[in-house]
Amino acid sequence: MTTIHHKQMLQEHVSMEFSSSSTTHIQTFSQTTKIVGEEVVTRKSSSTMEFFSMVTRSTNIPEGESVPEFVEKPRPTTAAEGEKAEFRAQVKGNPKPNVSWKRESGIPIKESAKIFYDSINKEYVLKLEPLTSDDSDNYKCIASNDHADAIYTVSLLVTEGQEKMDFKKMLKKRAPPAPKKKQKKVADEKEMLEILSKVPKKDFEKVCMEYGFTDFRGLLKKLKEMKKKVEVEAIRILKPLEDIETKIDTTVTFDCIMELKDPNVKMIWIKGTEPLRIQYSLGKYDVKQVGTKYMLVITNVNMNDAGIYSLSVGDKRMSAELKVLDEPLKFLGELKPLKVTERQTAVFEICLSKKVPNFVWKFNGKELKRDEKYEIAVSEDGLTHTLKIKDARLSDMGEFSAEAGDLVQKTQLTIERIPIKFVSTLKNVRVKEKSRACLECELTSKDVTLRWKKDGNFLERSPKYSMTHEGKRAELIIEDAQLCDGGEYTVVAMQDGDPAEYCSTATVTVEERLATVKSGMSDVHAATGSPAELCVVLNDEKVEGVWLKDGKEITDLPGVQIVKQGAVHKLIFPNMGPEHEGKYTFRAKGAESEASVFIADPPTIDPSVLEALAAHPITVKVGHTANIKVPFRAKPLPKVTWYKDGMEVTEEERVSMERKEDQALLTISNCVREDSGPILLRLKNDHGSVTATLHLSVLDRPKPPQGRVEFLELSGSCVHMKWKAPKDNGGRPVTQFIVERRAVGKKSWIKIGEVDGKVTNFSTNKVEEGKAYQFRILAVNSEGVSDPLETSEVFAGNPIEAPGLASQPQVSDVTKESMTITWNAPTQDGGAPVLGYIVERRKKGSNLWVPVNKDLIQDTKYTVDGLLEDTEYEFRVIAVNKAGPGQPSMPSTAVVAKDPVKPPGLVQGLHVSDSSNSSISLAWREPTEGDPPSGYILEMRAEDTKEWSKCTKIPISGTCYTVGGLTERKKYFFRIRAVNEAGVGKPVELDEGVRAMPPPAAPKFDLSARLKSHMVVRAGTALCIHAAFSGSPPPSVIWQKDGIPTKGRETITKGKNHSQFLINSTKRSDSGVYRILLQNEFGEAHYDIHVRVADFPRPPTNLQLFEEVPNTVTLTWNHSPDVQEDGEAHYVIMKRDASTATWFTAAERVFSNKYTVTGLLPGRKYYFRVVARNEIGDSDPLDSKDTWLVNKDQIEDLSTKLKPYKQKDWRHAPRFLTPLKPHAVLRGQDCTMTCAFLGNPRPTVTIYKGDVNITANSKFWYNSTSGVCTLVIPTCTLKDSGDYSVLVENELGKDHSTCTLTVYDKDDKSILASVTESLQKKSKHLM
């Protein structure tokens, strides 16, 4: 059987049918679309049909609801017998429509058809399978809801096609070739013609040969004549044309119903005798066909359209008459008064009996024109006139009229105002006293008049009340609200033409404003005449307060200012005075603060008083009372302190002190001479202090003359003596000295003379030679006579003087308890032999000499005992003769009373503890012999000198010392001696010289400087390696890369203890192992830094596609060098359907260079893409050049390759085509494992983790399709690490595949590197 191709084009038709009734409106639309395509010639003529109609149930459809509507329409279908046909429709509407399917012929849809709802595509589906010739029909999709029925009709054409070969039957039933059929026989030519009429034209000759007819041409000619006869009878008129009467300006339709065997038969519409030129009638005539119904539509009928209309079909003709009636002009109804609400649209409508050209609308006698306000419309037939007044306002109220020639109809339009509504009403307001209260509302209209009320009384605009009305918003502001302003407030809105009042009410509550003290007052101390202030800060600046002084409100206090600055309240005293002192209180509502104001004057004493006290001492006699008064000024009263001879005076039996408000008093009763002297008064309070110095003089008789009386001459004829004036003259000048004498053995004293107070010597000749006398001297002042100064017994005769000075005593034999002193006798004995010596001692630093012997010492050597250990003593010697003791000698050197001390021995263990370029540190131990040292003398000399110099001016107290200021690398020698009170020990010298340089040390890295062992740098950025180290001498630094000294682009900075390696812009070639090598004469050290310069990875290459498992694609490619070098780099596999432009990810984190993509749809073409990815980003993609077609099950035409059939056993044991591969997954990521296997019968799959069966474990996602097994482990944890295996088995055997899953943390880079390396090795082995 052959297939003939031809192009088919159907003429486009559009027909409309209207029928009206009081309850139902039907609108029917029919449309066929141009189709150009490939068709199979069948015995039925090919034609398609689409038809839509709607039956409405209600004219008023509520807002938000709608009639059914086809979003996606069913399409006409042509299919061969045995295939399937499918109609799909998508509808919408509110309420949701119900959808049903019917055949137009009324025959029920066959039971094998499937009618269902596709929830994915949201479509209603009718599926017919398999198709037979009886399925050809028009099928209706009916969508119904409460408002209408929407019906869409489409055609299904079932054609005869070549029977499909049943390859299974052909494979199963192979037999020897069938014997040739015998030639068929027919009775006559008529029977043959009937057979030919049933077969395609292309098979005529073949059929004639089968039946043995050789006159092929004759049969063909007779067959054509027979078909013409059939065509003549192929026009069947079911309903003819009928006469029509109509009015002018209407639309009429002539229709007839015919059954045509040939739908392409020629049809012509004729008026009178002239054919109608439909295409050139400008819409006057229109021809339509709905099924077997044929129509002629005439629009805008006028008198000229009257006549006979005919339809010629083939050799048949039908006719009918159109009569056009005329009638007088009149209104078919009347205009009724209309009342509408403001802003709505008012509509007037009037119908005329016929169409007129001069119809006008008028308002209050003025003709209306179409504009934005007025919309004037006329129906299509010109009979119904409509006037719409848009956005009706009060100004539109009045008389509207419709005029057509002499006909006039009038009516009234009334406008009702829109009630005013409050979009937002007044809200209750609660404010603090003295705050602003605001009431606001929003209305639906801005053209309103507003008035405000308080408690039913209208308010007027004033400074208190501020009323604003802007647009639709109204606002009332109450300034400085008081308690009396609380109440009920109402806003009254009115509008023109509306007598109603619209109100909104709210309550204003004014709360008493209570404040709290944010910062209170503190006591103020100010000097008289200085400014001061009290300050209170409240938390509310609108609260007032009052000031009180000592409980009384301040109204008129001189010299005080009351100031308020917001929330700050101040009481200012510009000039402080006594009248301002007191307790002040600030009171406000809810708050109070108190403080006191004090005069703060520092103590002062009048300068004239100070001058008088200094110039005129206070004089009092012994035994009398001294009253000392010093006036002062101070506020508060100061503390009074009296001082005498630097010591504070305290109250006792004779001394009393008193402090009054303006003076300080000191009273000393029973004054004694020792009370004389300067007295200091100190006055002090919190604001200052002052002192006053005065002198108290207590008058008394003088003290005795001082000292021993010195006889200048003692002879038989004269005694000449001298003395010293009294140490204390009693406060009055000594006026005279009285000299008295008595002979030894006598009791009475005889006055022998007196001298002036300024003379301290006296001579008398009233003596007898050789007789012993005793003299006394008395000092006299205005207060009386002093006690006498008596002399020892003297002899009048040869003059004798006291001996001269003995030599300075020498101290020896010192112990902790005694010392021996020696001296030489004086060179002059004074005219009389030295009778002996007096030895005196004192502690060093003291002025008190104490005699150590009671009797005169006859020798010039004396041992002093009874000393205190570790006390330093001095000694002196006084020679004594008949005239008395002489002058004391020079004091001896100070000597400490302690046992003898031994000098220290040799210093032990002198060594160098540290050194630098400018200093050397030495340390040692104390000597083991001798007494402990008190210090050490360290000496040094340079290598080029022989003289030793001390390192310090004073001995070193410790056992270590650092000598600084040395010349770098110069050699120095050192020696040391211990020293104590007994002397200096012998020196100890270092064995060899020491150079000023750090101690020798091999190089060493300072790892505390965070020197990294691995660095990852992005290409194009800087590589900076900073290394800190130590070594003595400073080591040399060598930088190497991969074992070779660096050179070229780097910048190396070197210092004594650090070095820096810098490459400003790195490249991939800069990756490698960098080594820093340190060397000096004492050793070397090195440190390696692994540097990887990362960039966007280079793409993989050479993408190959092949099929290992049906319906999968295996991809292989050459590794990107960056993925091999970087343990964290991996591949991303993507796929794209050739029919779309969107790429989908098939797999992520693929570390090998082979991957099998599953889940592909048979019959689709795909592109594949491989992208390398690292922490920097993605490489350029590697795309497959050609599409890959996933084949369907192919059916091979075996008709030409028929071979003897042999039964083959296709069963085999299962085996793995692609085994499981090891995986390393970051914790928290998903892991997907896949493997592929073959087996027949289909093997069962079991998955194990270790020895545990996890096939049914809900934690794991498992799928096995088309020989590909996929296991997904979501959100991996460390516990998921381990061995996983897949076991496939059937009745012929089994096979298993095992892999290892490693779950690692971000920081486990070493684990990731090792796992990646093993993965790469295993993947190479597998490949």
Side-chain angles (χ1 to χ4, degrees), residues 206-346:
K206 179 180 177 182
V207 173
C208 288
M209 294 297 293
E210 288 179 358
Y211 286 90
F213 277 85
T214 57
D215 188 8
F216 173 71
R217 294 184 181 276
L219 286 174
L220 186 61
K221 184 175 180 181
K222 292 179 180 180
L223 183 63
K224 287 182 179 180
E225 291 177 355
M226 185 179 70
K227 286 186 175 182
K228 285 183 179 180
K229 292 180 181 180
V230 173
E231 288 177 358
V232 171
E233 300 173 356
I235 302 173
R236 182 182 175 189
I237 299 175
L238 303 180
K239 176 180 176 295
L241 297 177
E242 297 178 353
D243 295 340
I244 298 175
E245 286 187 0
T246 187
K247 299 177 183 179
I248 296 176
D249 295 330
T250 60
T251 298
V252 297
T253 301
F254 286 102
D255 60 344
C256 64
I257 298 176
M258 299 181 294
E259 288 185 352
L260 303 177
K261 294 294 183 179
D262 183 5
N264 295 322
V265 66
K266 186 176 181 181
M267 286 186 286
I268 301 174
W269 286 92
I270 303 168
K271 181 187 177 188
T273 59
E274 295 294 326
L276 293 177
R277 304 179 68 181
I278 307 296
Q279 295 179 347
Y280 303 101
S281 65
L282 301 177
K284 179 71 175 178
Y285 302 106
D286 191 10
V287 176
K288 297 181 181 181
Q289 178 187 353
V290 179
T292 58
K293 188 175 184 179
Y294 298 86
M295 296 172 285
L296 172 66
V297 180
I298 306 171
T299 59
N300 296 325
V301 174
N302 54 42
M303 297 302 296
N304 296 327
D305 293 326
I308 302 298
Y309 289 86
S310 303
L311 172 61
S312 175
V313 182
D315 58 352
K316 292 188 177 183
R317 183 167 180 166
M318 294 177 288
S319 300
E321 183 180 2
L322 173 63
K323 296 179 180 180
V324 180
L325 304 177
D326 195 6
E327 60 181 348
L329 177 65
K330 63 180 179 178
F331 287 111
L332 301 182
E334 64 179 54
L335 288 176
K336 297 180 180 179
L338 185 63
K339 179 186 290 186
V340 298
T341 305
E342 185 181 12
R343 290 185 176 273
Q344 290 186 347
T345 299

Side-chain angles (χ1 to χ4, degrees), residues 1248-1280:
Y1248 294 89
K1249 180 180 186 294
D1251 298 329
V1252 179
N1253 188 338
I1254 61 172
T1255 307
N1257 192 328
S1258 60
K1259 171 176 172 54
F1260 306 96
W1261 302 342
Y1262 152 71
N1263 183 33
S1264 178
T1265 305
S1266 302
V1268 177
C1269 177
T1270 303
L1271 174 64
V1272 178
I1273 305 173
T1275 315
C1276 291
T1277 64
L1278 296 178
K1279 294 182 180 179
D1280 294 325

Side-chain angles (χ1 to χ4, degrees), residues 1040-1072:
Q1040 297 177 343
K1041 178 179 179 291
D1042 298 329
I1044 302 173
T1046 59
K1047 56 183 178 178
R1049 298 167 39 243
E1050 71 278 356
T1051 301
I1052 298 176
T1053 306
K1054 297 181 180 179
K1056 289 183 179 181
N1057 296 316
H1058 71 276
S1059 180
Q1060 179 175 287
F1061 181 90
L1062 175 65
I1063 298 177
N1064 288 321
S1065 180
T1066 54
K1067 302 178 180 177
R1068 285 182 182 269
S1069 58
D1070 293 325
S1071 297

Side-chain angles (χ1 to χ4, degrees), residues 1096-1100 1120 1122 1131 1170-1174 1177-1182:
F1096 292 102
R1098 285 167 284 187
S1120 167
D1122 301 307
Y1131 297 103
V1170 181
V1171 177
R1173 177 176 292 174
N1174 62 9
D1178 293 349
S1179 69
D1180 294 334
L1182 172 62

Side-chain angles (χ1 to χ4, degrees), residues 1091-1233:
V1091 176
R1092 181 165 63 84
V1093 180
D1095 200 352
F1096 292 102
R1098 285 167 284 187
T1101 56
N1102 191 23
L1103 178 61
Q1104 301 292 330
L1105 309 179
F1106 58 91
E1107 184 180 66
E1108 289 183 339
V1109 178
N1111 294 333
T1112 67
V1113 178
T1114 300
L1115 285 65
T1116 62
W1117 59 89
N1118 293 340
H1119 269 301
S1120 167
D1122 301 307
V1123 175
Q1124 290 179 314
E1125 297 170 3
D1126 185 357
E1128 293 187 0
H1130 55 274
Y1131 297 103
V1132 178
I1133 314 301
M1134 307 179 78
K1135 65 180 180 180
R1136 177 173 70 85
D1137 193 311
S1139 62
T1140 66
T1142 304
W1143 287 94
F1144 294 93
T1145 300
E1148 291 185 305
R1149 300 192 66 81
V1150 177
F1151 291 90
S1152 66
N1153 61 342
K1154 181 179 179 181
Y1155 187 79
T1156 299
V1157 181
T1158 62
L1160 303 177
L1161 299 177
R1164 297 288 182 91
K1165 294 181 180 180
Y1166 290 92
Y1167 287 97
F1168 296 92
R1169 168 177 288 179
V1170 181
V1171 177
R1173 177 176 292 174
N1174 62 9
E1175 68 270 21
I1176 302 301
D1178 293 349
S1179 69
D1180 294 334
L1182 172 62
D1183 293 347
S1184 57
K1185 296 181 181 178
D1186 301 319
T1187 58
W1188 178 273
L1189 174 62
V1190 181
N1191 292 324
K1192 295 184 179 179
D1193 294 337
Q1194 298 181 356
I1195 301 176
E1196 184 179 1
D1197 187 2
L1198 302 178
S1199 61
T1200 60
K1201 300 181 180 180
L1202 296 178
K1203 295 180 180 180
Y1205 177 73
K1206 292 183 180 180
Q1207 187 73 22
K1208 185 175 181 181
D1209 187 4
W1210 293 98
R1211 298 181 303 159
H1212 60 86
R1215 61 184 176 88
F1216 280 94
L1217 299 175
T1218 303
L1220 293 174
K1221 299 176 182 178
H1223 288 73
V1225 179
L1226 179 65
R1227 186 173 69 177
Q1229 299 290 335
D1230 296 343
C1231 176
T1232 303
M1233 304 180 183

